[in-house]
Amino acid sequence: MADFDFDIGILGGGSAGLTVAAGAAQFGARTLLIEKEKALGGDCLHYGCVPSKTLIRTAHVYHMMKNAERFGLPRAELKAVDYRDVAKRIQSVISAIQKHDSEERFCSLGAKVEFGDPVFSDEHSVLLNGKTFSAKNWVIATGSSPDIPPIEGIAGTPYITNKEIFSLESLPSSMIVIGAGPIAIEMAQAFCRLGAKVTVIQRSSQILSKEDKDMADMVMNVMASEGVLFHLNSAVLSVRELGGEREVMIKNLEGKTVGLRAEKILIALGRQPNLAGLGLEAISLQFDKKGLKLDNRLRTNHKHIFGAGDVTGEYLFTHAAGYEGGIVLSNAILHLPRKADYTNLPWCTYTDPELASIGMNEKRAKDAGINYTVWTEEFRANDRSLAEGEEVGKVKLLLDAKEKPIGIQIFGPQAGELLSEWVAVMNGGVKLSSLASAVHPYPTLGEINKRVVGNFFAGKIFSEKVKKALKFFFHLRGRACG
Ligand SMILES: Cc1cc2nc3c(=O)[nH]c(=O)nc-3n(C[C@H](O)[C@H](O)[C@H](O)COP(=O)(O)OP(=O)(O)OC[C@H]3O[C@@H](n4cnc5c(N)ncnc54)[C@H](O)[C@@H]3O)c2cc1C
């Protein structure tokens, strides 16, 4: 048997790579982790989830302060936001989490960490900083970068992406956001709340295009009411630099060409996998624009080279990267064949209110040709929601022909947290009757999960048939009023 330096080598020290490295080392595998940047943690820690959620929280607090009167409090006289202070807070949260993702911690677990630009020299070896490292198994977990389309004028026009937005020197007075996916929409709301004039440009007829239109429109309406301007059905024609400002020319639905100006342009039009420069062509490893070509055990065409995280091109989330890291560990280290299954993969867009989802929405159910019914419950009927000053939002439950839940979307306060109950229901195959009969504390937002199921059962329980039977057996005498 060939003798390799390591049992497993991992390229990329982000969400997926760190999961594999920590697990493999703790299982006793001789583990090598190679990271290109100076620190571990990846996009999620440095340019993604952590800074964005920290910024969103700051923007939320400022928004609440501006709306103090809605809560019966005196109007607050607020100073303008100094973005350098916001960026400082973001950095302090990153630094706190960085300790958990440090080289020392991984070394203490037993994994060797190297920094630099690795290139495959053969199917089992990479060249790094003039040295060759061989491993029995490799994992490519190099993440993704913002996709910058070839818009006319883009080369000569300064723009920002998620890499720059969390460390700006000052709050832009105005910002044009090109794209309307989760990253674009979260940033649009946060910057609007902090005081920037924000305009969102979207090619299609709704924001958050993977979501059902009714849910996405509710998000858009909240943001529009806070001052975000939306241009839907609009194609970006060109961009140009105008000194202190930048201009974006768009063609709208009516075919009119309109020029929009702002201090900053944020490009958030999707992601491309970080696969260039790894020498994949030389070892004939298959990939395309979307990511690595993988089987359902996350193996490439070389069965000892795996892919996990954003490079899979599947679900670009940290929890998906962690899940895929676990699949790789099972297959590569434990030799327990395990397939990736995304049926119950949840996600959440951290607007305020949040939009969280698991399983099928109407769009996906229609595409899959599944017959379904929809059951809803509004947050304005939830006592806790009203006490919190949250009146917007709804839960939408999809049941299949056998009346089994196939998907839930929640748009409302703490939707991401409320979804956890459905994560348990969907993964545990819990019966709807169990959820309906379980006692939830009052007053909680979580009661809405029970109520939406109650709406489904109400028609069955309080039916004419049941009433007739009760009348027959127990002589109930019917309405006492009206
Ligand atoms: C603004 C923003 C907000 C987000 N918010 C959320 C959220 O709230 N929730 C959520 O679940 N997801 C969120 N995401 C997505 C999440 O960040 C990614 O899905 C996740 O980081 C993917 O993990 P990964 O391991 O594939 O990639 P990463 O975490 O990016 O790790 C890849 C690592 O590989 C390194 N690397 C790159 N090239 C090489 C190379 N050639 N050699 C060696 N190393 C290399 C990189 O430096 C990086 O450290 C957000 C993303 C963005 C941009």
Side-chain angles (χ1 to χ4, degrees), residues 40-279:
L40 300 177
D43 249 28
C44 182
L45 176 58
H46 298 283
Y47 312 107
C49 332
V50 172
S52 63
K53 269 73 252 179
T54 309
L55 175 78
I56 284 168
R57 182 66 182 160
T58 294
H60 175 75
V61 172
Y62 196 59
H63 177 74
M64 294 295 272
M65 288 160 76
K66 281 194 278 186
N67 287 283
E69 281 173 302
R70 273 189 52 213
F71 296 86
L73 295 170
R75 186 197 184 96
E77 291 302 327
L78 293 175
K79 286 188 183 164
V81 168
D82 185 338
Y83 197 77
R84 286 169 306 181
D85 293 333
V86 177
K88 244 186 249 165
R89 174 167 183 264
I90 292 173
Q91 275 314 315
S92 75
V93 175
I94 292 174
S95 303
I97 299 174
Q98 181 73 75
K99 290 186 191 101
H100 191 252
D101 290 349
S102 66
E103 186 185 345
E104 295 71 39
R105 178 170 165 262
F106 279 83
C107 186
S108 73
L109 293 175
K112 181 162 182 54
V113 181
E114 294 277 351
F115 293 92
D117 266 303
V119 181
F120 277 99
S121 49
D122 64 52
E123 287 170 23
H124 279 282
S125 313
V126 300
L127 197 62
L128 177 78
N129 304 328
K131 281 204 274 187
T132 298
F133 296 84
S134 65
K136 185 172 177 218
N137 295 292
W138 283 97
V139 185
I140 301 174
T142 46
S144 66
S145 298
D147 196 11
I148 308 298
I151 302 170
E152 189 188 320
I154 196 79
T157 310
Y159 60 85
I160 56 171
T161 67
N162 66 296
K163 287 243 161 168
E164 297 80 24
I165 197 164
F166 304 113
S167 51
L168 297 174
E169 283 294 309
S170 60
L171 182 77
S173 57
S174 51
M175 184 187 282
I176 293 172
V177 181
I178 303 182
I183 296 171
I185 290 304
E186 288 179 5
M187 292 301 97
Q189 187 181 42
F191 274 82
C192 175
R193 286 180 162 196
L194 291 175
K197 185 170 169 273
V198 177
T199 306
V200 175
I201 303 169
Q202 164 74 331
R203 181 185 283 271
S204 70
S205 61
Q206 72 164 79
I207 65 167
L208 301 171
S209 49
K210 289 189 176 139
E211 308 287 350
D212 283 346
K213 188 164 164 28
D214 58 334
M215 304 303 272
D217 281 355
M218 283 199 290
V219 179
M220 187 174 74
N221 291 341
V222 168
M223 290 173 61
S225 73
E226 292 178 9
V228 179
L229 292 172
F230 289 91
H231 289 272
L232 302 182
N233 298 299
S234 296
V236 174
L237 301 176
S238 62
V239 292
R240 66 175 172 146
E241 164 73 333
L242 296 172
E245 276 189 324
R246 279 99 217 195
E247 187 176 58
V248 180
M249 298 301 291
I250 60 167
K251 193 175 196 175
N252 63 21
L253 187 62
E254 294 82 47
K256 274 195 195 142
T257 302
V258 180
L260 306 169
R261 291 181 180 188
E263 188 185 327
K264 292 268 186 246
I265 298 174
L266 169 67
I267 299 193
L269 278 168
R271 312 281 300 173
Q272 54 172 324
N274 295 329
L275 295 173
L278 291 170

Side-chain angles (χ1 to χ4, degrees), residues 12 14-16 35-37 42-43 53 118 142-143 162 309-310 316-318:
S15 310
E35 168 55 46
K36 186 180 179 173
E37 300 291 336
D43 249 28
K53 269 73 252 179
T142 46
N162 66 296
D310 284 5
L316 309 196
F317 302 114
T318 290

Side-chain angles (χ1 to χ4, degrees), residues 225-345:
S225 73
E226 292 178 9
V228 179
L229 292 172
F230 289 91
H231 289 272
L232 302 182
N233 298 299
S234 296
V236 174
L237 301 176
S238 62
V239 292
R240 66 175 172 146
E241 164 73 333
L242 296 172
E245 276 189 324
R246 279 99 217 195
E247 187 176 58
V248 180
M249 298 301 291
I250 60 167
K251 193 175 196 175
N252 63 21
L253 187 62
E254 294 82 47
K256 274 195 195 142
T257 302
V258 180
L260 306 169
R261 291 181 180 188
E263 188 185 327
K264 292 268 186 246
I265 298 174
L266 169 67
I267 299 193
L269 278 168
R271 312 281 300 173
Q272 54 172 324
N274 295 329
L275 295 173
L278 291 170
L280 303 186
E281 298 83 353
I283 58 165
S284 304
L285 197 115
Q286 290 169 5
F287 65 98
D288 62 18
K289 226 177 134 257
K290 194 179 156 217
L292 294 169
K293 294 269 183 202
L294 300 169
D295 65 11
N296 50 21
R297 288 168 62 187
L298 303 182
R299 299 174 300 183
T300 63
N301 52 310
H302 297 308
K303 299 295 178 213
H304 66 284
I305 305 182
F306 294 78
D310 284 5
V311 289
T312 63
E314 289 291 342
Y315 288 84
L316 309 196
F317 302 114
T318 290
H319 48 279
Y323 169 69
E324 289 157 353
I327 300 283
V328 170
L329 277 173
S330 188
N331 286 298
I333 302 297
L334 304 179
H335 296 274
L336 296 172
R338 196 173 152 211
K339 294 174 185 170
D341 175 1
Y342 300 98
T343 312
N344 288 329
L345 191 102

